Amino acid sequence: MIRDITLGQYYSTESVIHRLDPRVKLVGTLCYIISLFLIKNPIGYLVAAIFLAMVIWLSRVPVKFMIRGLKAIVLLLLIAGFFNLFFTPGEPLWSWKALTITKEGIVTATTMVLRLMFLIMGSSVMTLTTTPNNLTDGMEKGLGFLKLIKVPVHEIAMMMSIALRFIPILLEETDKIMKAQIARGADFESKNLIKKAKALVPLLVPLFVSAFRRANDLALAMEARCYRGGEGRTKMKPLIYKKRDAAGYLVILLYLVVCIYIGRVIKL
Amino acid sequence: MSIILDHVRYTYESGTTHRSDALKDISLKIDDGEFIGLIGHTGSGKSTLVQHLNGLLMPTSGSIYFDGKDISDSDYDKKELRRHVGLVFQYPEHQLFESDVFSDVVFGPRNMGLDKKAAELTAYKALESVGIPHDLFYVSPFDLSGGQKRRVAIAGVLAMNPDVLVLDEPTAGLDPAGRDEILSLIKKLHDEKKITVILVSHSMEDVANYVGRIIVMNDGMIFLDDTPKNVFAHYTELEDIGLSAPAVTYIMAALKKKGLNVDTGATTIDEALYSILGALRR
């Protein structure tokens, strides 16, 4: 029942995008998001769409999985679309009672919805093609320069990977405790809201206790293996830039330049 | 109150690519008052099987009858079924949540719809039957020792007065003293309350002394289903599927080989002792 939730949504397959250094993918995603706010005309959106389609095609992840990410924000898309469509002041095209559709409204609503969709799909590409561990590794190394201003980059990355690692464990634990309490007659399917909240106590208390116990055990195990933070720590699989990563950066740069060019020069 | 499983099959993640058959065609009849040991190594499907007995998992195909009624009928009252079939999970102490021992045990009977007085009475009896002293009734369950916690958790299920008690690896993680304590407690419950007990374990040694029938599972199927004596006679086949008979079986087989006329069917240390003494006297 509860196992249907997918959080680490990595899609395992072989592709150029999968093999790219996580830092390239992080920078790429960031640039793509920035580009979405730079472009202001249809040609820009066309370029962004083509770029995204190309990356998705290269990643060999079925488009179905990209769409799945969109499902979570359907409501947000609808609300954003609705308010922009009906409540943007400008040249009226159609009106009924309090609702008025303006030319400007259509333009803002479409750009808003497209921007959000591209945003989610663009970042889905990253999470679908990079394992959570690789992602935190990439963040740790990519943000390493922040150490100079005393930001504990390694510690933050370590916390992130531990948190990610614990998600499936805690899900399994939840499933187990839920079953045990159902066996004792607990009712998790009640429609009554107060009853529902009350029913969570026998689930949450043991879950928290077990999370603390696991955290304690992990801390002990880490200390027993002489873990003492990031200073001087080496990695089994250090991130090293390869030729394809340079190519990746080049493509991203090219894309950014094109976007800026379209935004600045071509006026429609 | 017999339980009948008729060609039960259970598939995890059915419909996706990660499917795996946890149970393949299980047919079984469990009678009133039996004491059954369900044995199998990790992943043999024994935990999946016991979750079918109280309707936590429903068979992908096949049917289960409790007291003559099909539990997958849409109008079957699963809550009632769970009152009759008490299931104690592995590491049951991890499900304790109340601020004191007594309220935790009351949780089950209260869910069953008993009023406060009646629930407290059955909780009191359950705690007494598992041997928790009175002065521990109102301490936090988290302050108890491992063995005590487990007994409280078992009392939590016992308080619902089940007719069938299923225990999934009740001795996991306990020291030998704690293990014997829990096992003899279960034996006592079976003898005094005349309830059906199904004891899940991966250790023959654990169950040999107590149960009247052993069901050996392997790879989602029933491998053997017989009395301990007859099951242990297959000790070479048991080894093939990663299990072993109790040490007594091996000693008796070795003695027989050396020419001493002992009973190789002895399953407990006491039986073996008498058999060896008898053989030596002759």
Side-chain angles (χ1 to χ4, degrees), chain A residues 56-71:
Chain A
I56 292 174
W57 179 71
L58 277 176
S59 74
R60 290 218 206 134
V61 177
V63 183
K64 192 175 78 185
F65 284 85
M66 306 280 165
I67 309 292
R68 196 176 284 174
L70 285 180
K71 270 189 194 154

Side-chain angles (χ1 to χ4, degrees), chain A residues 33 181 217:
Chain A
I33 291 170
Q181 305 296 24
D217 289 353

Side-chain angles (χ1 to χ4, degrees), chain A residues 98-143:
Chain A
L99 302 175
T100 314
I101 296 180
T102 61
K103 198 177 158 198
E104 287 79 0
I106 295 177
V107 174
T108 3
T110 356
T111 48
M112 197 63 138
V113 170
L114 276 179
R115 198 176 272 172
L116 276 171
M117 274 170 64
F118 286 167
L119 202 87
I120 295 295
M121 284 169 86
S123 28
S124 296
V125 173
M126 180 177 72
T127 50
L128 280 164
T129 60
T130 323
T131 60
N133 269 335
N134 241 327
L135 210 58
T136 43
D137 269 6
M139 259 180 216
E140 182 181 352
K141 198 121 187 225
L143 298 175

Side-chain angles (χ1 to χ4, degrees), chain A residues 38-261:
Chain A
L38 285 176
I39 47 182
K40 288 187 175 64
N41 56 48
I43 297 179
Y45 281 98
L46 195 68
V47 172
I50 291 171
F51 182 73
L52 187 62
M54 209 177 70
V55 174
I56 292 174
W57 179 71
L58 277 176
S59 74
R60 290 218 206 134
V61 177
V63 183
K64 192 175 78 185
F65 284 85
M66 306 280 165
I67 309 292
R68 196 176 284 174
L70 285 180
K71 270 189 194 154
I73 58 152
V74 162
L75 195 69
L76 187 69
L77 284 178
L78 284 176
I79 293 172
F82 176 82
F83 279 99
N84 280 300
L85 188 59
F86 292 111
F87 298 106
T88 311
E91 187 184 324
L93 289 178
W94 175 88
S95 99
W96 177 74
K97 288 185 184 167
L99 302 175
T100 314
I101 296 180
T102 61
K103 198 177 158 198
E104 287 79 0
I106 295 177
V107 174
T108 3
T110 356
T111 48
M112 197 63 138
V113 170
L114 276 179
R115 198 176 272 172
L116 276 171
M117 274 170 64
F118 286 167
L119 202 87
I120 295 295
M121 284 169 86
S123 28
S124 296
V125 173
M126 180 177 72
T127 50
L128 280 164
T129 60
T130 323
T131 60
N133 269 335
N134 241 327
L135 210 58
T136 43
D137 269 6
M139 259 180 216
E140 182 181 352
K141 198 121 187 225
L143 298 175
F145 62 90
L146 287 177
K147 272 185 204 152
L148 294 176
I149 51 164
K150 301 253 156 95
V151 176
V153 179
H154 169 79
E155 280 72 13
I156 292 172
M158 182 57 106
M159 280 194 268
M160 274 182 64
S161 41
I162 289 173
L164 287 168
R165 178 68 192 79
F166 267 63
I167 288 170
I169 294 178
L170 288 180
L171 275 180
E172 200 174 302
E173 191 90 17
T174 311
D175 193 53
K176 239 170 60 187
I177 297 168
M178 235 167 144
K179 275 182 174 166
Q181 305 296 24
I182 292 172
R184 294 214 282 160
D187 188 5
F188 292 108
E189 276 136 32
S190 174
K191 294 276 184 294
N192 186 325
L193 207 65
I194 293 169
K195 267 192 185 164
K196 216 170 183 172
K198 260 187 170 171
L200 282 180
V201 175
L203 175 65
L204 289 180
V205 172
L207 194 63
F208 269 97
V209 172
S210 108
F212 278 115
R213 191 181 56 238
R214 280 179 196 282
N216 244 330
D217 289 353
L218 181 68
L220 202 67
M222 282 168 84
E223 251 175 17
R225 293 177 203 183
C226 305
Y227 176 81
R228 51 180 181 78
E231 210 54 51
R233 196 173 155 79
T234 55
K235 285 210 186 305
M236 189 166 165
K237 289 179 188 159
L239 293 174
I240 297 163
Y241 279 129
K242 306 230 168 58
K243 255 187 191 152
R244 58 167 172 267
D245 300 316
Y249 276 130
L250 207 66
V251 170
I252 294 163
L253 191 70
L254 208 69
Y255 167 75
L256 257 185
V257 169
V258 168
C259 279
I260 293 170
Y261 175 79

Side-chain angles (χ1 to χ4, degrees), chain A residues 179-182 184-185 206, chain B residues 51 82 94-95 104 111 160:
Chain A
K179 275 182 174 166
Q181 305 296 24
I182 292 172
R184 294 214 282 160
Chain B
Q51 287 179 40
R82 283 168 196 147
H94 292 174
Q95 80 199 21
D104 205 285
N111 284 330
M160 303 193 297

